[in-house]
Amino acid sequence: SIVASGHGLAIANNMMYRHNVMLVDTRSREVVQTLEDTVDTDAMGIDGLSGVVSGSPVEAAWTQDGQYAYVTNYQLTGGVGTGTKPDDNCTAGSAIAPSLVYRYSVKDKKWDAAYRVGRVPKYVALSPDDSRLLVANWCDATLSVLDTGSGETEHTIPLDTMPRGTVVLPDNKTAYVTAMWADKLFRVDLEAGTAEVVLHTGPQPRHLTLSPDGKTLYMTVAGADQIVKLDAATGTVLATASAGDEPRSMDISADGTALYVVNYEASTVTKIDAETLEILDTKPAGENTVGVTYDEPTGQVWVANYGGTLDVYDDTDGVGPGAGGSAQPSTDTAGN
């Protein structure tokens, strides 16, 4: 994955392929730090774990001020208490150990905290006021809700098979989460710790993006090659349109007019009109595109792929994505 901070940095998460994250300056396109995915669980006082563990970074969420990034880890290895190696089918069941979310400090340039969550945490999101951290636990079919001040878990909320995409509304109390292999969209009450199904979707609802004003929700339905537009207050479907071949992740421009969607099987990035869902432009990207982020300071769209490049597109003219270039080092593999 690739996620921009809005303050001149982007973080690329390289999972078990590289066991690291890269911090990239979005203005210069230079890698400013490569950080291994290891933490000392004894020094951090993490219950149930001992020794130095490696993580496998998947997704990230930045605080509003761009000073911290929270990163989910697909699996833990090394140390004591890390359990059996998982896979996307969760075939090892309860032998898979709960994993960790790491916190990266821009000031200290290191992991400065870690928090125990569920088994195979994938997507992560922060509430707009940064008070709550939400983690979709793939193999537990749950959502962990953490208080960012204390690091304590407020709720572990049951959802359904393989939850992933997550957003929090401007009220800081309401979230939406996709259950990717249950074909459902949940609305979550973060105060009560409850969830309800608001929509039975097409196959494999994967990613959610919220408009800047918080009024409109967008969802990729990867198995149906669709984009769905919903009313964020009610969960009502407003429009559905065709997208590329297996749309996965997406992001939205700062003015809320354009969606940027990566299409995994087509290895492309598509710009979509956020109002009409009309496809405005499609450009080739690296092999099996999987992550995308819009960087507001530069007006650039960054795309991560399994081929091992970060491709950069200029959309400052409002027409693009325009001609792209590859960030260096181009051999680093982007995450799941």
Side-chain angles (χ1 to χ4, degrees), residues 10-100:
I11 188 169
N13 301 298
N14 299 317
M15 288 187 63
M16 67 283 291
Y17 311 110
R18 296 283 173 139
H19 281 288
N20 64 26
V21 301
M22 295 190 310
L23 280 299
V24 184
D25 185 311
T26 58
R27 294 179 177 88
S28 67
R29 302 186 187 179
E30 294 179 350
V31 176
V32 296
Q33 185 179 8
T34 299
L35 182 65
E36 300 303 310
D37 64 355
T38 56
V39 296
D40 186 333
T41 61
D42 295 316
M44 291 188 173
I46 300 168
D47 290 341
L49 293 172
S50 182
V52 175
V53 302
S54 294
S56 300
V58 185
E59 295 277 358
W62 287 94
T63 54
Q64 292 292 325
D65 62 5
Q67 290 303 301
Y68 295 97
Y70 292 87
V71 177
T72 53
N73 286 277
Y74 186 98
Q75 65 184 22
L76 299 178
T77 56
V80 176
T82 53
T84 298
K85 182 178 179 180
D87 58 44
D88 266 3
N89 293 320
C90 307
T91 51
S94 60
I96 302 169
S99 191
L100 294 171

